[in-house]
Amino acid sequence: CAKSTPQRAHNSNEPMGTLRREAFSSKQCSFIPSCVSGLYDFGPVGCALKNNIIQAWRQHFIQEEQILEIDCTMLTPEPVLKTSGHVDKFADFMVKDVKNGECFRADHLLKAHLQKLMSDKKCTAEKKAEMENVITQLDNYGQQELADLFVNYNVKSPITGNDLSPPVSFNLMFKTSIGPGGNMPGYLRPETAQGIFLNFKRLLEFNQGKLPFAAAQIGNSFRNEISPRSGLIRVREFTMAEIEHFVDPSEKSHPKFENVADLNILLYSSKAQVSGQSAHIMRLGDAVQQGVINNSVLGYFIGRIYLFLTKVGVSPDKLRFRQHMENEMAHYACDCWDAESKTSYGWIEIVGCADRSCYDLSCHARATKVPLVAEKLLKEPISFQNKPESLEEKINIVQFEANKGAIGKAYKKDAKVVLEFLSMCDECYITEREQLLNDKGEFTVETEGKTFTLTKDMVTVKRFQKTLHVEEIIPNVIEPSFGIGRIMYTVFEHTFRIREGDEQRTFFSFPAVVAPFKCSVLPLSQNQEFMPFVKELSEALTRNGISHKVDDSSGSIGRRYARTDEVGVAFGITIDFDTVNRTPHTATLRDRDSMRQIRAEISELPAVIRDLANGYLTWADVEAKYPQFEGQETGKKDTIEE
C-alpha cells in the first residue's frame, strides 16, 4: 500500500477516496508532474482485498450457479465493435474551455452547475423544480438540446470561468492498430460482454445445446473518460465481472427464484422516480408478481446481487436498486435495474442488471452471417386440419423478400453481400425496418464496411406459417455487470469505523471473507522461546489457506492490534507466556470488531479461523464453544491484563 495505515479519522464531509488512497492504493504517477489522471495502482493490501472480492464473486455466482467462465482477449478488432454499435454510439458529449482547451464531460458539468444554482437561497421554488427536471432528463438530451441548456443557464468553465465550446460527441474507446502495418484498426475493449457473445456457439455446444445457460468473464476494460474523478468511481482502466444469462424468450422464469423471493429490498422504480416518490422496501417476490420487475429471471439475479453485495461489506441500509426510466432505457432492453450504493459522493451505480433481449446475438449474426441460435424441441404438439395425431407445430415466420433484379441493378457486385445480409435478419430487426419502409419508403443497412439504401421496389416483408418439429430461437440475454473498483470503494466507505471513545483509533470492518488478511500472529515477547509457536502457527495457517501477517515487532501488543485493525485484519492470535509455559499449549484469538477474545489450543485455531473466514462459523459460535479470555486491552497502557 502507498501508506500502511490511515493516519486520521474520516471526516464525514470529506470524500472517502482520500483516505482510501492513503491506505490501499496510490494514484498512478502521483510523483511525476503532468500525470494522466484516472489511473490507479493497488498496493499489497488493496490488491489482496480486490482479489478476495473477485474470489467471493466467483464462488457466489460461477460456482453456485454453475456458470461457464471464459477469458477473452482485451484487444478487439474494429468490426466487432462496429457491429455491436460501440464505434458509432459509445460516446459522451464534451465541452472545451475556449481559451486553454481543458475538456469537461457536458452532462456532469451541467449537473454540477445546476446543483450549485439550486443551492443558492435566492433560487425560487419554481426555478428549482425546473432545474431538477433538467437533471432528471440529462440522459435523454441530444447534442443540440445540451448546447441550448448551456446557453440558457450560462455555464462557464468551473476552473477559469472562461466560455465553453458547444458540446461535441467524443468516443470513449481507446483506439489502436493491430499488426506491423498498422492498417487493421482495433480498440481496447470497453466491456467484457462482447467476447462472450462472439463465443456463443462454442458455449452452447459446451452446454450440450441446452438453454438456459450462463457465461461469465472477469477482466479489465478501458474507457477514455473525458474527466476522470472521484477515485475508483470514474477511471480509465477498471475491472469488470459480467454474466450473460441466455434464456428462451418465451420461458423467462427462474427455477430457483423462490430462494430469493422473500428478500426485502429497497426498490426505486421508474414510476416512483417520475412521480417524485421515494424508494421503498418491497418483497422481491411481490415486485415480480406485480410487474415492477419484468420477469423472475431478472428478479432472481437482483436477489443474488443483493446477497453478494451485502456479503462483501456493502451496508444494506445504503443499498438500493434503481430502475432505468424510459428516457435512459436502451431501445432493445425490456427492463434494467442498477444496484446503487450511498457514499460521500451520493448514490453511485456499482452493478447493472439488464434484460438485453436478443439484441447482441442478432447484431453479430447479421454481421458474420452465422446464425447464433439455439434449437428448441417443441413440447406441446398442436394439431391442424383436424389431425389430432399430428406431432407438428406451426410457427409464424417473418423474413425479407428481396427483389434480386432490382438489388443487382443498383449494387452490381455488392448485390450478393446485401442479399446475404437480408437473409440473416431476425424478426425484431425486420419489423423495425418495415416501419421505416412504410414511413419513409426506404431504410439503410451496414455490412462489410459499406452502407446500402434499400427501397420498396428492392425489398418487401413476407409473413407466413411454417411447420416445424424443432424451432430455432435467438436467446434473450439477462446481463448482470459488476464494477469491481466501485464495489471496493463502497466497501471502504461502508466498513470504515472509529473506536468508541478514541477517535484516533480507526479500522476497517471488512467481512472476514474479503479481508486482505484473515489473521495476524502476535508474539507477546521477542523471547526466542516464542518463535517455535509462531512458526508452527504460521505453517498451519498456510496449510489451511489462510492469509496472515506475523508481527513480531517490539511495539506494545495494543499498538500492534491497532496497526492490524487499521488495514482490516479480521482476527488476531496472541502467543503469550501461558502459551509457552503451560500444557496443553493455548493462545488467545481476538475478534477485530468486538475486541473480544477466547482461548483455545493452538492446534485448533487454524481450522477455527478457516471456518470463520469461509462463513461456516460466526464469532458467537466460537464464543459459545471456547472460554472467554478475561484480559482486556487498555487504551492507556496498551497492554493485556488477565
Side-chain angles (χ1 to χ4, degrees):
C1 53
K3 293 185 179 180
S4 60
T5 58
Q7 300 300 310
R8 49 172 168 63
H10 174 52
N11 185 328
S12 60
N13 295 319
E14 179 182 352
M16 192 67 184
T18 306
L19 178 60
R20 176 204 46 79
R21 286 197 294 273
E22 291 182 357
F24 288 86
S25 70
S26 62
K27 191 172 182 178
Q28 180 66 26
C29 310
S30 56
F31 303 108
I32 300 176
S34 302
C35 171
V36 176
S37 60
L39 303 174
Y40 284 88
D41 294 335
F42 288 106
V45 181
C47 186
L49 178 72
K50 178 183 175 181
N51 289 338
N52 289 344
I53 289 175
I54 291 173
Q55 185 54 39
W57 190 89
R58 275 199 172 96
Q59 191 276 329
H60 188 85
F61 289 102
I62 291 176
Q63 294 178 22
E64 291 189 28
E65 304 295 338
Q66 298 184 13
I67 293 173
L68 309 177
E69 184 178 4
I70 63 173
D71 186 5
C72 301
T73 175
M74 289 184 281
L75 188 60
T76 310
E78 185 178 54
V80 173
L81 295 170
K82 181 74 173 175
T83 299
S84 66
H86 286 83
V87 172
D88 297 323
K89 300 177 182 177
F90 197 73
D92 285 328
F93 290 113
M94 175 180 70
V95 293
K96 288 185 179 181
D97 186 313
V98 295
K99 291 187 178 179
N100 65 18
E102 186 167 2
C103 299
F104 305 93
R105 182 166 156 176
D107 58 343
H108 288 170
L109 185 56
L110 178 60
K111 181 179 179 180
H113 180 75
L114 293 181
Q115 288 174 334
K116 184 178 179 180
L117 293 179
M118 289 162 59
S119 65
D120 190 337
K121 293 181 180 179
K122 296 180 181 179
C123 182
T124 64
E126 182 180 356
K127 197 70 176 176
K128 187 175 181 180
E130 173 193 306
M131 290 187 281
E132 284 178 341
N133 184 59
V134 171
I135 291 174
T136 302
Q137 301 291 327
L138 268 179
D139 290 326
N140 204 33
Y141 292 129
Q143 186 172 1
Q144 187 57 50
E145 291 169 308
L146 278 173
D148 293 341
L149 288 167
F150 268 71
V151 173
N152 292 343
Y153 291 103
N154 194 31
V155 185
K156 305 290 184 181
S157 167
I159 298 174
T160 63
N162 296 333
D163 289 337
L164 297 167
S165 69
V168 294
S169 182
F170 176 78
N171 193 289
L172 299 177
M173 292 191 295
F174 285 99
K175 192 169 186 177
T176 186
S177 298
I178 302 173
N183 55 0
M184 184 184 294
Y187 297 89
L188 295 178
R189 65 184 181 193
E191 62 179 26
T192 63
Q194 295 307 315
I196 298 176
F197 297 133
L198 292 177
N199 283 283
F200 170 75
K201 281 183 70 69
R202 294 186 179 91
L203 291 164
L204 182 64
E205 290 171 6
F206 191 88
N207 203 54
Q208 301 175 330
K210 297 177 182 178
L211 288 178
F213 76 91
Q217 182 170 192
I218 303 169
N220 278 15
S221 297
F222 306 84
R223 297 181 186 179
N224 194 15
E225 291 286 350
I226 297 168
S227 51
R229 58 181 186 175
S230 309
L232 294 179
I233 295 175
R234 191 166 297 281
V235 292
R236 291 188 164 109
E237 179 183 359
F238 51 93
T239 301
M240 300 182 74
E242 292 192 293
I243 298 170
E244 308 300 330
H245 181 87
F246 299 97
V247 62
D248 184 337
S250 65
E251 298 179 8
K252 287 185 179 178
S253 59
H254 202 288
K256 297 199 295 183
F257 179 68
E258 289 305 315
N259 294 352
V260 298
D262 288 331
L263 289 174
N264 291 307
I265 297 177
L266 186 64
L267 299 180
Y268 197 19
S269 68
S270 59
K271 183 178 179 181
Q273 295 170 66
V274 171
S275 61
Q277 299 175 8
S278 301
H280 67 279
I281 294 174
M282 195 171 187
R283 180 178 172 272
L284 199 55
D286 295 336
V288 172
Q289 186 178 12
Q290 296 172 23
V292 177
I293 296 173
N294 185 270
N295 56 76
S296 71
V297 180
L298 190 61
Y300 178 74
F301 278 105
I302 287 175
R304 292 289 292 161
I305 291 166
Y306 174 86
L307 292 173
F308 169 74
L309 293 176
T310 53
K311 176 182 180 180
V312 299
V314 177
S315 172
D317 298 332
K318 298 178 181 179
L319 175 64
R320 73 181 184 189
F321 284 79
R322 186 186 69 83
Q323 188 176 33
H324 282 204
M325 294 184 290
E326 286 187 14
N327 64 331
E328 57 181 324
M329 188 92 73
H331 69 276
Y332 51 79
C334 301
D335 199 2
C336 185
W337 293 77
D338 290 339
E340 296 183 331
S341 63
K342 190 174 184 180
T343 70
S344 55
Y345 292 109
W347 288 99
I348 62 169
E349 175 197 350
I350 56 178
V351 184
C353 191
D355 184 334
R356 296 174 62 91
S357 67
C358 62
Y359 174 78
D360 300 281
L361 292 180
S362 298
C363 286
H364 288 296
R366 288 194 297 269
T368 60
K369 302 178 180 62
V370 175
L372 298 179
V373 297
E375 291 187 347
K376 176 184 177 183
L377 291 174
L378 300 177
K379 298 177 182 178
E380 298 292 336
I382 299 176
S383 62
F384 295 93
Q385 300 177 351
N386 300 318
K387 293 183 179 179
E389 73 281 1
S390 173
L391 297 178
E392 300 171 344
E393 182 174 317
K394 288 189 177 182
I395 64 169
N396 294 320
I397 301 294
V398 181
Q399 65 184 36
F400 282 126
E401 187 168 29
N403 183 336
K404 295 181 181 179
I407 292 175
K409 184 178 179 180
Y411 294 115
K412 298 180 174 58
K413 64 180 181 179
D414 287 329
K416 183 180 178 181
V417 173
V418 176
L419 292 171
E420 287 179 349
F421 179 88
L422 292 176
S423 69
M424 292 302 303
C425 294
D426 59 272
E427 181 179 350
C428 181
Y429 182 85
I430 293 171
T431 303
E432 288 179 358
R433 295 312 182 269
E434 182 183 28
Q435 187 65 45
L436 290 174
L437 206 59
N438 293 334
D439 293 345
K440 299 182 179 180
E442 64 180 31
F443 65 89
T444 60
V445 299
E446 293 184 7
T447 181
E448 303 287 344
K450 299 179 180 179
T451 301
F452 303 95
T453 300
L454 300 175
T455 57
K456 286 184 176 182
D457 64 316
M458 297 180 185
V459 64
T460 57
V461 175
K462 182 180 179 181
R463 288 178 168 82
F464 59 95
Q465 284 192 325
K466 187 175 181 180
T467 301
L468 295 175
H469 296 279
V470 176
E471 180 184 1
E472 287 187 341
I473 60 172
I474 303 175
N476 278 201
V477 177
I478 310 295
E479 181 191 71
S481 179
F482 297 73
I484 300 299
R486 291 187 172 200
I487 292 172
M488 282 183 69
Y489 179 80
T490 298
V491 171
F492 282 126
E493 278 213 14
H494 289 192
T495 62
F496 183 69
R497 304 284 187 271
I498 299 173
R499 289 287 183 208
E500 187 175 354
D502 188 352
E503 292 188 357
Q504 296 305 308
R505 291 191 64 174
T506 60
F507 68 101
F508 285 101
S509 181
F510 299 129
V513 69
V514 297
F517 298 99
K518 312 303 181 191
C519 178
S520 58
V521 179
L522 310 169
L524 198 59
S525 168
Q526 292 183 313
N527 191 309
Q528 287 303 307
E529 292 180 341
F530 285 71
M531 293 307 105
F533 297 98
V534 173
K535 181 181 178 182
E536 176 189 346
L537 260 176
S538 181
E539 291 176 350
L541 291 168
T542 300
R543 285 195 301 272
N544 280 272
I546 301 167
S547 58
H548 60 282
K549 281 177 67 75
V550 175
D551 185 352
D552 56 2
S553 62
S554 58
S556 68
I557 192 66
R559 292 185 185 278
R560 283 186 282 164
Y561 278 151
R563 281 201 297 264
T564 58
D565 289 349
E566 283 180 320
V567 291
V569 179
F571 306 102
I573 298 175
T574 302
I575 300 172
D576 55 23
F577 290 100
D578 281 350
T579 308
V580 176
N581 298 326
R582 297 182 182 178
T583 55
H585 299 295
T586 61
T588 65
L589 177 64
R590 172 185 179 269
D591 174 55
R592 173 200 58 216
D593 293 352
S594 67
M595 298 192 296
R596 294 168 67 91
Q597 300 178 67
I598 58 95
R599 193 165 196 103
E601 291 189 28
I602 283 182
S603 60
E604 297 181 49
L605 289 175
V608 170
I609 296 171
R610 179 196 63 208
D611 290 345
L612 283 167
N614 290 329
Y616 304 140
L617 283 178
T618 66
W619 183 253
D621 296 330
V622 174
E623 286 194 324
K625 182 176 180 180
Y626 295 99
Q628 184 175 347
F629 181 60
E630 298 298 334
Q632 300 291 323
E633 290 180 80
T634 62
K636 294 181 179 179
K637 298 181 181 178
D638 284 325
T639 60
I640 292 184
E641 298 176 351
E642 270 190 276

